[in-house]
């Protein structure tokens, strides 16, 4: 079943590429600065967060802007992927009702588009890291592995949610609320150490924790990811992906009628 | 030879749930704010069909008969509830044009997006892009954003992509009305080209003439079932006859409803008050001394019902109810048919019929009986009149009512003529 899905995606890869390219380019099409916005947006966020949060939270986190930034960009990738993938099938109703193609291309292309956006954002990340005097080590090379873990996790959720959203339109709002809470139980704007130990243990089950920590480890601290913890996230991601594939396959046949 | 069958449909049924009020949110589902009741509508009911390689098959039937559902099942947009569909070969469907077009991108960029949705690889598109642009006749506009296109240009571009995908199986749904006559001709030539290259074509259209020309086989569907299939001209003939009959029945129903409404309206004194004389015509349509008055005229069909639609070849009677206000020395009653452009086709009266009417009942009905109506399909006007012996108009209603005729005779003009062709 998964193999068949995979084969179809391969044969429709040009569609995936075209749609990702279209979405990336159309986002800023017609704006004066155009593609530069891809860089300006995270840059502005970086500036605002690094002014506001230390002031609000009164922490003495060393190099706080980068502490935040290195974690914030993967989070943005994750959250926008999941949120816009949820509505992707319904948003593509026009295509789904009129033409055949592997439906999975729709949520997949959303996650890929956001992945590309993250990768473009890395230009800012690396220049900012170098500017603030962070010592980069060879452990940076683990980045693709960490990114892949995050990608699979996001895709797993995306498949489930996009298929279910066709029938349950509440999901859009539920996803909004859940990701809002999720943001604060993931150590993004603050280190996990601000929680009491008991709570931190529970929060540790959040698969995003090892992923975000890994981003900090390899980019900011020059360390290897904590493999055990990251493996846990990867396994959760693969399980979600498997369930997602199953749910998607099961419901995609009626997409054209349910829309 | 089963390997030649490219589309095999076996006992396929497809029902749509018609929800009275579908719950869309969890709240609604749990609180039962909307009922989850639904009834099944069978769009396809146990249909079996084999389409062979190289065949051109047309699907006909009135709206909702399941022909579009069948196309969607073949492309896998929909899946059957039961039965099996097997398709061998690459399908291109001209069902949706311009899928994924983005208004801000140029025509050329959109070709790549659109063609990729049809499942083409970049290499394949690269090879076809020039042909697509040439076919679309867009010229330099191809480098402009699609939002600047006229709707005609947009459709031409979309059509060019779809038709240049070079499919093994081409599905066409009601879209051959794109562009001007020239462009349409090009499209048909292209389709003809596919045919000659051995492509299989399934086409849904309402334009029966076109279907008859290009299809090897026509399938007539009704209420989710295949009614008849076979040679294009035979099935289309049967279908036309059926549709004609239905049209007459339908018009008849509406006509009766219409006259009933009028009748019940007359009972209401407030509405009926200004309408004392039930026949109201302007002076250039009705004239005469009214010494003899036409109260009502009717067209009576084979079943003895008053109607305004006639099937050609059946007996018809025109009835005229009259009232004598002041007796005359002689009366002549007449009827006539006009085309909708008000050209007289046929006229006859009692004098021509060698019927001298010197004294008649003060009230009565004159009948003009036609054994076989041989007007061709079209809209006509009925003329009824009564004049005196000197042809002075007593009551002359030039266009009493409109009526339509449907005929299975495909000849053009207004009249069927018995004939046969011979070539020596």
């Amino acid at each position: 079943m998964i193999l068949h899905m995979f084969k179809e995606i391969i044969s429709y890869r040009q569609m995936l590429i075209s749609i990702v390219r279209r979405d990336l380019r159309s986002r800023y099409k017609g704006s004066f600065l155009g593609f530069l916005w891809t860089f300006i947006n995270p840059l502005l966020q970086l500036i605002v967060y690094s002014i506001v949060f230390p002031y609000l939270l009164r922490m003495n986190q060393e190099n706080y802007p980068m502490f935040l930034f290195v974690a914030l960009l993967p989070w943005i990738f994750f959250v926008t992927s999941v949120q816009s993938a949820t509505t992707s099938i319904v948003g593509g109703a026009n295509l789904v009702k009129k033409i055949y193609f592997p439906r999975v291309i729709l949520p997949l292309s959303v996650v890929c588009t956001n992945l590309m956006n993250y990768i473009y954002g890395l230009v800012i990340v690396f220049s900012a890291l170098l500017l603030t005097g962070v010592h980069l080590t060879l452990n940076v090379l683990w980045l693709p592995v960490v990114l892949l873990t995050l990608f699979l996790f996001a895709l797993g959720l995306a498949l489930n949610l996009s298929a279910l959203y066709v029938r349950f339109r509440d999901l859009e709002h539920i996803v909004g609320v859940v990701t809002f809470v999720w943001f604060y139980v993931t150590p993004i704007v603050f280190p996990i150490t601000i929680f009491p130990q008991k709570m931190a243990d529970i929060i540790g089950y959040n698969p995003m924790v090892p992923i975000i920590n890994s981003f900090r480890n390899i980019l900011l601290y020059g360390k290897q990811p904590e493999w055990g913890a990251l493996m846990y996230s990867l396994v959760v991601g693969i399980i979600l992906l498997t369930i997602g594939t199953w749910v998607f396959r099961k419901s995609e046949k009626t997409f054209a009628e349910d829309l | 030879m089963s390997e030649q069958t490219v589309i095999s449909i076996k006992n396929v049924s497809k029902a749509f749930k018609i929800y009275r009020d579908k719950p869309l949110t969890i709240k609604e589902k749990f609180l039962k704010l909307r009922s989850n009741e639904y009834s099944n509508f069978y769009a396809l009911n146990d249909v079996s069909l084999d389409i062979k390689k190289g065949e051109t098959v047309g699907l006909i039937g009135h709206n909702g008969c399941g022909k579009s559902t069948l196309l969607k099942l073949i492309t896998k947009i929909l899946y059957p509830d039961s039965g099996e569909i097997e398709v061998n070969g690459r399908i291109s469907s001209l069902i949706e044009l311009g899928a994924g077009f983005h208004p801000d991108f140029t025509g050329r960029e959109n070709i790549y997006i659109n063609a990729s949705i049809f499942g083409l690889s970049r290499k394949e598109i690269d090879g076809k892009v020039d042909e697509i642009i040439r076919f679309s006749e867009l010229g330099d506009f191809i480098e402009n954003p699609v939002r600047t296109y006229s709707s005609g240009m947009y459709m031409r571009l979309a059509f060019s992509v779809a038709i240049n995908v070079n499919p093994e199986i081409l599905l066409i749904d009601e879209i051959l009305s794109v562009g001007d006559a020239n462009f349409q001709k090009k499209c048909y030539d292209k389709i003809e080209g596919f045919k000659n290259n051995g492509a299989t074509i399934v086409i849904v259209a309402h334009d029966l003439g076109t279907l008859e020309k290009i299809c090897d086989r026509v399938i007539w569907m009704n209420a989710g079932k295949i009614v008849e299939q076979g040679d294009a001209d035979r099935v289309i003939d049967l279908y036309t006859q059926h549709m004609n009959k239905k049209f007459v029945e339908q018009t008849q129903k509406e006509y009766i409803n219409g006259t009933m409404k009028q009748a019940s309206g007359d009972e209401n004194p407030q509405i009926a008050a200004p309408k004392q004389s039930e026949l109201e015509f302007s002076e250039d349509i009705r004239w005469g001394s009214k010494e003899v008055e036409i109260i009502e005229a009717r067209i009576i069909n084979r079943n003895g019902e008053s109607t305004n639609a006639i099937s050609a070849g059946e007996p018809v009677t025109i009835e005229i109810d009259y009232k004598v206000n002041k007796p005359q020395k002689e009366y002549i009653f007449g009827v006539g048919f006009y085309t909708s452009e008000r050209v007289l086709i046929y006229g006859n009266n009692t004098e021509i019929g060698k019927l001298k009417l010197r004294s008649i009942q003060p009230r009565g009905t004159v009948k003009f009986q036609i054994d076989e109506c041989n007007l061709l399909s079209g809209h006509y006007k009925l003329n009824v009149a009564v004049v005196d012996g000197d042809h002075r108009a007593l009551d002359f209603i030039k266009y009493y009512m409109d009526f339509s005729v449907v005929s299975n005779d495909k000849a053009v003009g207004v009249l069927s003529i018995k004939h046969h062709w011979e070539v020596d």
Side-chain angles (χ1 to χ4, degrees):
Chain A
M1 186 173 77
I2 292 175
L3 191 74
H4 176 72
M5 204 168 192
F6 203 68
K7 261 191 193 159
E8 263 200 328
I9 295 171
I10 296 287
S11 69
Y12 272 81
R13 63 189 180 282
Q14 185 57 39
M15 176 180 180
L16 182 64
I17 296 167
S18 298
I19 288 189
V20 169
R21 187 178 294 149
R22 183 192 69 183
D23 291 346
L24 281 175
R25 292 183 48 200
S26 68
R27 187 169 301 189
Y28 304 114
K29 198 117 187 173
S31 64
F32 183 64
L33 290 173
F35 202 65
L36 275 181
W37 280 110
T38 314
F39 304 113
I40 296 170
N41 261 333
L43 202 59
L44 288 176
Q45 275 174 324
L46 171 65
I47 292 167
V48 171
Y49 281 132
S50 51
I51 294 170
V52 173
F53 277 105
Y55 184 72
L56 280 179
L57 295 167
R58 298 181 192 289
M59 293 176 301
N60 21 354
Q61 183 71 43
E62 192 196 334
N63 195 0
Y64 182 76
M66 290 322 291
F67 172 84
L68 171 67
F69 198 47
V70 158
L72 186 64
L73 282 194
W75 176 261
I76 291 174
F77 159 44
F78 171 70
V79 119
T80 40
S81 292
V82 171
Q83 282 178 345
S84 37
T86 300
T87 55
S88 62
I89 301 286
V90 176
N94 251 336
L95 285 183
V96 172
K97 279 202 255 190
K98 300 279 175 63
I99 197 166
Y100 176 77
F101 60 90
R103 307 318 193 191
V104 73
I105 296 273
L106 289 177
L108 181 60
S109 73
V110 170
V111 181
C112 287
T113 304
N114 285 295
L115 175 69
M116 290 312 292
N117 261 324
Y118 174 77
I119 291 173
Y120 290 133
L122 282 176
V123 174
I124 303 290
V125 172
F126 280 112
S127 19
L129 283 172
L130 291 173
L131 273 177
T132 52
V134 171
H135 182 64
L136 291 172
T137 67
L138 273 182
N139 281 322
V140 167
L141 295 179
W142 292 116
L143 183 63
V145 179
V146 180
L147 206 49
L148 180 71
T149 310
L150 179 56
F151 177 82
L152 293 179
F153 184 59
L155 185 62
L157 278 177
L159 288 189
N160 281 295
L161 293 171
S162 59
L164 294 176
Y165 180 63
V166 173
R167 279 167 174 263
F168 302 106
R169 302 294 165 93
D170 292 37
L171 265 185
E172 189 184 2
H173 306 291
I174 294 173
V175 167
V177 172
V178 167
T179 49
F180 174 75
V181 174
W182 203 337
F183 180 73
Y184 290 100
V185 295
T186 308
I188 294 162
V189 289
F190 38 71
I192 197 161
T193 48
I194 71 158
F195 293 108
Q197 187 58 42
K198 246 189 186 164
M199 223 176 139
D201 286 347
I202 298 170
I203 289 173
Y205 285 108
N206 168 4
M208 281 305 283
V209 174
I211 293 175
I212 294 295
N213 283 340
S214 301
F215 274 104
R216 281 207 179 106
N217 276 341
I218 59 174
L219 292 175
L220 197 59
Y221 305 137
K223 295 194 289 188
Q224 289 207 6
E226 283 170 35
W227 289 112
L230 190 64
M231 200 50 71
Y232 161 73
S233 301
L234 184 63
V235 169
V236 173
I238 288 174
I239 291 173
L240 270 176
L241 197 58
T242 315
I243 298 173
T245 310
W246 183 76
V247 168
F248 202 89
R249 285 306 271 194
K250 225 171 133 50
S251 45
E252 72 175 344
K253 293 191 172 183
T254 56
F255 280 167
E257 296 160 57
D258 292 334
L259 284 172
Chain B
M1 284 206 278
S2 63
E3 75 253 24
Q4 271 201 318
T5 304
V6 287
I7 302 173
S8 140
I9 297 166
K10 277 198 199 97
N11 306 101
V12 165
S13 293
K14 176 77 193 170
F16 292 108
K17 293 185 169 101
I18 313 284
Y19 284 92
R20 245 156 256 153
D21 208 358
K22 188 180 181 178
L24 271 178
T25 66
I26 293 176
K27 182 185 92 184
E28 286 168 346
K29 192 148 186 128
F30 280 109
L31 296 182
K32 302 223 157 86
L33 286 184
R34 302 188 192 194
S35 68
N36 206 3
E37 288 173 61
Y38 60 83
S39 47
N40 271 331
F41 167 74
Y42 275 91
L44 284 181
N45 201 345
D46 198 22
V47 169
S48 296
L49 181 64
D50 279 332
I51 295 174
K52 297 214 158 46
K53 190 170 165 44
E55 247 191 323
T56 301
V57 175
L59 296 175
I60 55 175
H62 62 86
N63 291 333
C65 70
K67 52 191 183 344
S68 292
T69 304
L70 189 59
L71 275 198
K72 284 185 176 172
L73 285 168
I74 296 173
T75 49
K76 288 197 285 183
I77 293 171
L78 297 174
Y79 292 80
D81 295 335
S82 63
E84 267 174 53
I85 296 181
E86 228 179 279
V87 178
N88 302 310
R90 170 149 74 193
I91 297 181
S92 169
S93 59
L94 303 189
I95 295 176
E96 169 62 359
L97 291 177
F101 269 22
H102 193 292
D104 282 336
F105 287 117
T106 67
R108 187 187 291 275
E109 289 167 322
N110 271 307
I111 290 175
Y112 277 89
I113 297 171
N114 193 214
S116 73
I117 295 176
F118 283 115
L120 264 67
S121 71
R122 177 153 193 110
K123 240 193 210 155
E124 289 175 293
I125 305 173
D126 281 336
K128 291 198 171 104
V129 72
D130 290 331
E131 166 64 17
I132 292 173
I133 295 171
R134 208 161 45 78
F135 194 86
S136 71
E137 301 171 3
L138 283 171
D140 293 338
F141 282 107
I142 202 71
E143 310 298 347
N144 291 355
V146 162
R147 72 180 137 79
T148 63
Y149 287 14
S150 71
S151 55
M153 287 159 74
Y154 185 95
M155 290 309 277
R156 273 196 338 244
L157 179 63
F159 195 85
S160 305
V161 179
I163 209 163
N164 281 297
V165 171
N166 273 354
E168 290 159 274
I169 301 166
L170 183 68
L171 306 178
I172 307 172
D173 192 358
E174 289 296 350
I175 45 161
L176 290 175
S177 44
V178 175
D180 52 23
N182 247 333
F183 190 74
Q184 276 189 28
K185 166 113 180 35
K186 252 172 74 173
C187 293
Y188 279 116
D189 288 350
K190 191 87 187 174
I191 291 171
E192 203 72 31
F194 278 134
K195 243 184 103 158
N196 296 337
N197 287 337
T200 310
I201 302 172
V202 183
I203 179 167
V204 166
H206 284 301
D207 177 11
L208 298 177
T210 312
L211 283 183
E212 201 169 340
K213 239 186 286 169
I214 62 175
C215 291
D216 305 316
R217 174 153 65 119
V218 167
I219 294 163
W220 167 16
M221 299 188 61
N222 189 28
K225 286 185 184 274
I226 294 174
V227 178
E228 190 63 57
Q229 56 173 313
D231 286 343
D233 48 350
R234 187 179 66 88
V235 176
I236 287 176
D237 266 1
L238 282 172
Y239 177 69
T240 326
Q241 280 170 30
H242 171 80
M243 287 314 272
N244 284 347
K245 223 173 101 192
K246 261 192 96 153
F247 171 79
V248 170
E249 279 166 14
Q250 185 61 33
T251 326
Q252 170 69 14
K253 237 187 242 161
E254 280 164 21
Y255 181 73
I256 287 176
N257 283 344
T259 47
M260 290 234 298
K261 237 179 242 160
Q262 237 176 19
S264 64
D266 282 346
E267 280 169 16
N268 186 334
Q270 278 166 331
I271 295 175
K275 224 183 155 203
Q276 207 44 267
S277 161
E278 57 188 295
L279 299 177
E280 279 187 1
F281 296 97
S282 64
E283 271 179 34
D284 51 341
I285 290 181
R286 183 181 196 180
W287 61 84
S289 64
K290 297 273 174 78
E291 285 159 314
V292 176
E293 215 176 308
I294 293 175
I295 301 165
E296 202 193 321
R298 289 174 300 274
I299 301 173
I300 304 293
N301 66 14
R302 183 174 65 164
N303 303 328
E305 300 158 326
S306 169
T307 188
N308 66 346
I310 306 167
S311 293
E314 293 186 354
V316 178
T317 304
I318 315 285
E319 295 186 349
I320 304 169
D321 293 344
Y322 67 87
K323 184 173 89 180
V324 179
N325 292 332
K326 192 177 159 210
Q328 307 289 311
K329 273 185 230 147
E330 192 185 340
Y331 309 88
I332 301 172
F333 287 90
V335 297
F337 304 130
Y338 285 82
T339 66
S340 48
E341 289 85 34
R342 313 199 159 183
V343 177
L344 179 65
I345 308 163
Y346 180 88
N348 203 334
N349 63 31
T350 48
E351 189 186 40
I352 298 171
K354 301 251 163 54
L355 210 65
K356 267 208 179 303
L357 301 174
R358 293 207 184 275
S359 68
I360 53 176
Q361 304 285 328
R363 264 168 180 275
T365 303
V366 175
K367 291 180 185 172
F368 178 68
Q369 284 177 320
I370 306 165
D371 297 339
E372 196 178 297
C373 167
N374 54 4
L375 292 171
L376 288 175
S377 297
H379 298 289
Y380 299 94
K381 289 174 186 297
L382 174 67
N383 156 230
V384 289
V386 51
V387 297
D388 69 8
D390 304 324
H391 290 257
R392 186 175 60 92
L394 297 169
D395 196 357
F396 198 100
I397 308 174
K398 196 165 181 192
Y399 310 119
Y400 180 80
M401 64 183 278
D402 293 337
F403 66 98
S404 18
V405 175
V406 287
S407 166
N408 300 329
D409 189 342
K410 282 184 217 153
V412 292
V414 290
L415 281 176
S416 280
I417 295 175
K418 280 205 174 132
H419 67 279
H420 67 274
W421 287 96
E422 219 169 83
V423 180
D424 287 328

